[in-house]
């Protein structure tokens, strides 16, 4: 197998869904017995907060993206849910119809923010917990 360049690897990753990327990171961590480090920006931002809040911000590294409402553009929201989760049409529709419901669970902060932005762009109401 030919060795892939960094650009080729990034191109492959850009075609993956967030769920697929999350699964890849877990498999990578298990295979090489490593753990993905928290971004340095979290450590830098935390000292500006109150004492208890800073500790809480450093401790929480997994977030849940909860769909609280589909809004007026329900079809667009279903499409985004399918992209984020790799669910089928029926399952995505059921998830959107049964709000509030978690769309993604235990994902990194940046993945949760991107998912929230995508869902809100489609007209949904979203919470990140």
């Amino acid at each position: 197998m030919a060795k892939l360049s960094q650009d080729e690897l990034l191109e492959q990753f850009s075609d993956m869904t967030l769920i697929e990327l999350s699964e890849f990171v877990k498999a990578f961590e298990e295979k090489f017995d490593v753990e993905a480090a928290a971004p340095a920006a979290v450590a830098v931002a935390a000292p500006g907060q109150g004492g208890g809040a800073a500790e809480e911000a450093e401790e929480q590294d997994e977030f849940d993206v909860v769909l609280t409402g589909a809004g007026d553009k329900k079809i667009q929201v279903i499409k985004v849910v399918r992209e984020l989760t790799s669910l089928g049409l029926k399952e995505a529709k059921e998830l959107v119809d049964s709000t509030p419901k978690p769309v993604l669970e235990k994902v990194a902060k940046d993945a949760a923010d991107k998912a929230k932005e995508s869902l809100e762009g489609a007209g949904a109401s979203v919470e990140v917990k």
Side-chain angles (χ1 to χ4, degrees), residues 76-127:
Q76 302 303 94
V77 174
I78 292 170
K79 287 180 182 180
V80 173
V81 167
R82 288 188 67 200
E83 290 172 9
L84 294 173
T85 62
S86 300
L87 291 175
L89 179 59
K90 179 181 176 186
E91 293 83 4
K93 183 181 181 305
E94 288 172 358
L95 188 146
V96 171
D97 287 340
S98 62
T99 57
K101 194 83 167 177
V103 176
L104 298 174
E105 295 179 318
K106 298 184 180 183
V107 295
K109 176 75 172 154
D110 58 337
D113 289 340
K114 287 179 184 177
K116 179 180 179 183
E117 184 178 310
S118 296
L119 287 164
E120 287 178 342
S125 302
V126 183
E127 286 183 10

Side-chain angles (χ1 to χ4, degrees), residues 16-93:
M16 297 174 86
T17 65
L18 291 175
I19 298 293
E20 291 170 333
L21 282 172
S22 175
E23 291 169 355
F24 171 78
V25 169
K26 289 176 187 173
F28 186 90
E29 289 174 341
E30 289 175 12
K31 172 138 177 112
F32 296 103
D33 194 28
V34 295
E35 188 174 320
V42 172
V44 172
Q49 301 172 350
E55 292 173 12
E56 186 177 315
E58 289 178 356
E59 290 174 11
Q60 186 173 1
D61 60 349
E62 294 180 337
F63 298 86
D64 295 340
V65 179
V66 180
L67 182 67
T68 57
D72 295 335
K73 300 177 183 176
K74 188 171 166 182
I75 294 172
Q76 302 303 94
V77 174
I78 292 170
K79 287 180 182 180
V80 173
V81 167
R82 288 188 67 200
E83 290 172 9
L84 294 173
T85 62
S86 300
L87 291 175
L89 179 59
K90 179 181 176 186
E91 293 83 4
K93 183 181 181 305

